[in-house]
């Protein structure tokens, strides 16, 4: 009998298995595909280094410690933390304000919108437990901040809608600050003052010379023969006398404990007979479609300096793209000399029909929007188009209740744990933390 079986070789499963193996626990990781990493995928096409899933990560203390322990610190690339981010509002690119002084100078918000935002610490109000992100931000910061700052941010990060996301699930720290300190600003200040004095991770967005997939590749290698690609978990049932039997493609695997780190839909299939309620909760988590385009132009096509991280787009009938990462400006080595590489996103909750379009039509839409934004002119080379039928899990209204159902299933079935990007945050750092929590609870 294996002590722990981890199902799913994405970052949460890999991190959980790594933590258990580091603690000298017996562990096996079953992954249906032939590779480690899940949606974290880096490829080289036409001399360009492409990120098909996440593009960057903001390093947490946990993630930075993992990078160091895997011996990857010398491969790290850090983007300039001062690199500006832009928002396309009303046809103009506005630099996202980086502080109060920049906010005062910015034309992204009106004078009344700035006053409303800056008055947040003096407003005493509260909302319902299932308040949406849009309603929460409107109540705390005002309508302009919600529409011009948070809505494009939600579309760019979640590929979602601020009107549908549950504030307490999608941005739990902001809601907690309001509940404990009566203000987002005051809560942030208090949190910073009470932060431990331990060494902090470096500032700036992180990647690696060979792309983000460097991290899951290293985790997979560290597991040795405990990582078993090409072995799909097909069933899960309690073992008579205690423990679990995981039905795999080449035979059953018995275990004391099981960590389900597979995507929500796959986890739902595995627990359907065991816990129909948990299966329904997992199936109810929306995952909108998303198209990721990697587009390249010659340097001569540039209409303005691409001197930042990228830009996000406020909802507008004149724009189809959600935003773009200015990949070749963010990290060195992303495109050949003399070429520009952008990673452009379309679809999400804002435009779910986008995957019905051809690759050429998607590239044409992206080129049109980028030209209208004054960034690049001319037709790009389509290096790669990646279509995610089910992209980022949406923490929509009722998400806290769905997670409570999973917690109830964990309580009723000792030794069963759920981990993944549908629980505790969607970022790379959040997913790493999810895996570490699952391992620690074994």
């Amino acid at each position: 009998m294996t002590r722990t079986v981890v199902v799913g070789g994405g970052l949460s499963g890999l991190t959980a298995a790594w933590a258990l193996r580091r603690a000298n626990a017996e562990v096996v990781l079953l992954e249906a595909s032939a590779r480690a990493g899940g949606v974290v995928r880096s490829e080289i096409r036409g001399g360009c280094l492409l990120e098909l899933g996440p593009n960057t990560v903001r390093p947490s203390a946990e993630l930075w410690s993992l990078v160091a322990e895997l011996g990857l610190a010398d491969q790290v690339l850090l983007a300039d933390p001062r690199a500006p981010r832009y928002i396309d509002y009303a046809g103009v690119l506005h630099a996202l304000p980086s502080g109060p002084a920049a906010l005062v100078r910015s034309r992204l918000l009106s004078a009344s919108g700035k006053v409303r935002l800056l008055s947040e610490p003096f407003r005493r109000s509260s909302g319902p437990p299932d308040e949406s992100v849009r309603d929460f931000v409107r109540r705390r910061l005002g309508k302009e901040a919600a529409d011009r700052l948070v809505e494009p941010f939600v579309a760019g990060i979640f590929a979602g809608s601020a009107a549908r996301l549950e504030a307490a699930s999608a941005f739990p720290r902001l809601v907690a600050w309001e509940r404990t300190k009566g203000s987002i600003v005051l809560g942030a200040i208090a949190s910073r003052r009470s932060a431990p004095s331990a060494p902090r991770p470096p500032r700036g967005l992180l990647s690696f010379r060979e792309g983000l997939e460097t991290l899951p590749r290293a985790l997979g290698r560290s597991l040795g023969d405990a990582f078993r690609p090409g072995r799909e978990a097909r069933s899960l049932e309690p073992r008579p006398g205690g423990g679990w039997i995981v039905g795999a493609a080449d035979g059953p695997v018995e275990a004391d404990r099981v960590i389900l780190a597979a995507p929500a839909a796959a986890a739902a299939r595995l627990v359907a007979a065991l816990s129909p309620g948990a299966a329904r909760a997992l199936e109810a988590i929306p995952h909108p479609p998303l198209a990721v385009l990697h587009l390249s132009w010659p340097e001569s096509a540039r209409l303005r300096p691409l001197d930042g991280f990228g830009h996000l787009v406020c909802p507008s009938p004149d724009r189809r793209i959600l935003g773009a990462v200015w990949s070749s400006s963010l990290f060195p080595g992303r495109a050949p000399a003399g070429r520009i590489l952008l990673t452009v996103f379309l679809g999400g909750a804002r435009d779910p029909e986008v995957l019905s379009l051809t690759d050429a039509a998607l590239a044409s839409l992206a080129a049109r929007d980028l030209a209208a934004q004054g960034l690049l002119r001319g037709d790009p080379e389509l290096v790669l188009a990646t279509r995610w039928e089910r992209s980022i899990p949406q923490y929509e209204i009722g998400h806290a209740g769905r997670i409570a159902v999973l917690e109830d299933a964990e309580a009723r079935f000792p030794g069963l744990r759920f981990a993944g990007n549908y629980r505790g945050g969607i970022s790379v750092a959040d997913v790493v933390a999810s895996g570490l929590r699952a391992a620690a609870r074994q």
Side-chain angles (χ1 to χ4, degrees):
M1 177 181 287
T2 296
R3 291 285 293 174
T4 303
V5 169
V6 179
V7 177
L11 269 181
S12 59
L14 288 165
T15 304
W18 172 84
L20 289 167
R21 193 173 177 91
R22 184 183 59 168
N24 296 318
E26 187 180 356
V27 62
V28 165
L29 191 157
L30 305 179
E31 164 56 31
S33 75
R35 53 177 289 279
V39 299
V40 181
R41 294 175 58 186
S42 308
E43 293 187 10
I44 295 178
R45 297 283 185 96
C48 296
L49 177 55
L50 314 178
E51 299 288 5
L52 282 58
N55 275 253
T56 61
V57 56
R58 188 175 298 280
S60 63
E62 291 170 318
L63 187 138
W64 186 245
S65 176
L66 177 62
V67 167
E69 291 200 45
L70 291 169
L72 301 177
D74 62 343
Q75 301 181 46
V76 164
L77 297 176
L78 289 168
D80 184 349
R82 299 165 299 178
R85 295 152 175 80
Y86 296 89
I87 290 179
D88 176 2
Y89 170 68
V92 178
L93 285 184
H94 299 266
L96 187 66
S98 57
L103 175 64
V104 171
R105 294 192 301 269
S106 173
R107 296 185 179 181
L108 180 57
L109 302 181
S110 68
S112 60
K114 295 172 186 176
V115 171
R116 177 67 176 82
L117 186 153
L118 293 171
S119 68
E120 191 273 340
F122 306 102
R123 295 182 176 272
R124 295 293 179 262
S125 65
S126 61
D130 60 351
E131 188 174 26
S132 73
V133 170
R134 182 182 67 182
D135 289 345
F136 174 82
V137 176
R138 282 186 174 184
R139 182 170 56 78
R140 296 302 319 170
L141 303 175
K143 183 179 184 301
E144 284 190 14
D147 294 346
R148 303 180 194 180
L149 295 174
V150 174
E151 189 64 56
F153 176 82
V154 165
I157 303 303
F158 278 89
S161 164
R164 300 181 198 173
L165 294 188
E166 187 174 71
S169 295
F171 300 103
R173 294 178 70 185
L174 302 185
V175 175
W177 288 339
E178 181 196 44
R179 290 175 180 170
T180 58
K181 300 298 180 181
S183 160
I184 298 173
V185 172
L186 297 180
I189 293 171
S191 176
R192 183 172 299 177
R193 288 175 176 172
S194 63
S197 57
R200 294 183 178 181
R203 296 180 63 224
L205 297 175
L206 177 148
S207 186
F208 300 92
R209 286 199 301 269
E210 296 183 4
L212 275 182
E213 196 173 341
T214 297
L215 179 58
R217 287 171 184 158
L219 285 166
R221 288 193 302 269
S222 75
L223 295 176
D225 59 5
F227 175 56
R228 302 181 184 178
R231 295 191 67 184
E232 180 184 8
R234 296 178 176 176
S235 63
L236 175 67
E237 57 183 292
R239 179 178 180 271
W244 298 90
I245 300 174
V246 181
D250 56 351
V253 182
E254 298 186 5
D256 288 338
R257 302 175 181 88
V258 173
I259 297 176
L260 291 183
R269 290 192 293 270
L270 289 173
V271 300
L274 180 73
S275 177
R280 287 193 295 271
L282 289 163
E283 290 168 348
I285 300 172
H287 294 67
L290 186 68
V292 181
L293 303 183
H294 291 92
L295 304 174
S296 177
W297 290 260
E299 282 280 357
S300 58
R302 186 173 57 186
L303 295 174
R304 55 158 287 170
L306 299 178
D307 57 350
F309 172 82
H311 72 284
L312 299 171
V313 181
C314 291
S316 166
D318 298 324
R319 298 285 185 266
R320 196 76 183 266
I321 68 172
L322 301 176
V325 175
W326 301 351
S327 304
S328 54
S329 298
L330 193 59
F331 297 114
R334 277 351 193 211
R339 300 292 297 184
I340 294 170
L341 177 69
L342 265 63
T343 306
V344 183
F345 303 91
L346 300 97
R350 189 186 295 178
D351 192 4
E353 304 301 320
V354 74
L355 293 196
S356 64
L357 301 176
T358 65
D359 291 355
L362 291 172
S364 178
L365 284 173
R368 180 204 69 185
D369 284 1
L370 294 167
Q373 290 160 340
L375 292 171
L376 295 151
R377 61 169 173 260
D379 295 330
E381 173 193 351
L382 176 59
V383 182
L384 184 66
T386 305
R387 295 161 179 266
W388 298 100
E389 296 285 347
R390 291 172 56 85
S391 64
I392 302 166
Q394 302 295 293
Y395 293 16
E396 292 190 354
I397 303 298
H399 191 76
R402 290 186 277 274
I403 297 304
V405 172
L406 301 185
E407 292 172 345
D408 178 67
E410 291 174 331
R412 288 188 294 115
F413 299 102
L416 177 65
R417 295 288 179 263
F418 296 91
N421 61 354
Y422 55 81
R423 183 182 193 182
I426 63 169
S427 74
V428 170
D430 290 333
V431 172
V432 165
S434 177
L436 292 174
R437 285 194 300 271
R441 293 180 64 188
Q442 295 302 297

